[in-house]
Amino acid sequence: MARFPAALKGRPGRAQKLISLLQTANLKDAGSEFYNSLEAPAFEKFPLLALFQEFLRVNGAAATLMSGSGSTTFAVMESRTAAEAVAEKFKAKFGKRNWIAVVPA
């Protein structure tokens, strides 16, 4: 982690700020506070994961994040309809070999 110093030091209050934004703001504002310190090294080793997230954001995701230590990435969308539409776009662009699930929040 020496090459990723930001990953070593958390920002106090980050989780509380995210919770507050999720309760009071729109999803886009809250989306900027989603954070996983393992993304930087994972994206360096597997750039395709970063491409997946960028595609999801460009296509309307309020937030994207790698889950745990990878390799799962998820997106938060405004509606189930929007999620289903972006899932189809994702399959068209990256193929059907990726596992995709649309689940209600």
Side-chain angles (χ1 to χ4, degrees), residues 29-68:
D29 290 341
S32 66
E33 291 299 318
F34 281 63
Y35 178 73
N36 181 335
S37 63
L38 294 175
E39 280 188 345
F43 289 176
E44 183 176 282
K45 188 167 183 172
F46 303 104
L48 185 59
L49 295 174
L51 289 175
F52 287 168
Q53 286 195 10
E54 179 61 21
F55 175 86
L56 294 166
R57 280 191 297 277
V58 165
N59 284 279
T64 62
L65 195 66
M66 187 176 77
S67 177

Side-chain angles (χ1 to χ4, degrees), residues 69-94:
S69 59
S71 62
T72 299
T73 292
F74 68 90
V76 178
M77 305 294 294
E78 290 284 346
S79 70
R80 183 178 187 94
T81 302
E84 289 169 349
V86 80
E88 290 306 312
K89 287 181 183 180
F90 189 94
K91 289 179 205 174
K93 181 158 180 83
F94 296 108

Side-chain angles (χ1 to χ4, degrees), residues 18 21-22 25-34 62-63:
L18 174 59
L21 285 169
L22 286 169
N26 67 45
L27 281 177
K28 287 276 187 197
D29 290 341
S32 66
E33 291 299 318
F34 281 63

